[in-house]
Amino acid sequence: MLPTPEQIREYIASNLACEHIEVVGDGSHFQAIIVSAAFEGKRPIARHQLVYAALGDKMKAEIHALSMKTLTPEEYKVNG
């Protein structure tokens, strides 16, 4: 069974403190906007690694592709 955008959102939220998460997708390809204070001072690759860590094995087993925009709360206020 393919995961839903809501399940991907729950996977991330359960393992990474986030102020905001939006996920859309078709079951194998997903796009996400993730806002977390944990991203403060980190480069994009380090931010993505935090999200991948939050997803754990689900990234290998259930999710074929995940495109993400990772923002700090301040960046989200400015850039939405």
Side-chain angles (χ1 to χ4, degrees):
M1 186 166 122
L2 296 174
T4 65
E6 293 78 21
Q7 287 172 315
I8 302 301
R9 184 189 179 290
E10 289 174 24
Y11 296 157
I12 296 168
S14 66
N15 295 298
L16 180 65
C18 297
E19 284 73 24
H20 179 79
I21 305 173
E22 293 176 34
V23 181
V24 296
D26 63 7
S28 60
H29 296 85
F30 297 92
Q31 299 83 41
I33 298 172
I34 306 161
V35 181
S36 175
F39 300 148
E40 293 283 348
K42 292 186 174 42
R43 293 177 175 249
I45 189 71
R47 294 176 182 198
H48 289 195
Q49 289 170 336
L50 285 173
V51 176
Y52 292 141
L55 290 167
D57 289 339
K58 292 180 182 358
M59 192 65 209
K60 296 175 189 170
E62 297 177 33
I63 304 165
H64 177 70
L66 174 64
S67 171
M68 63 184 112
K69 185 174 183 179
T70 52
L71 302 167
T72 65
E74 187 60 35
E75 291 168 340
Y76 186 64
K77 285 180 193 173
V78 173
N79 300 317

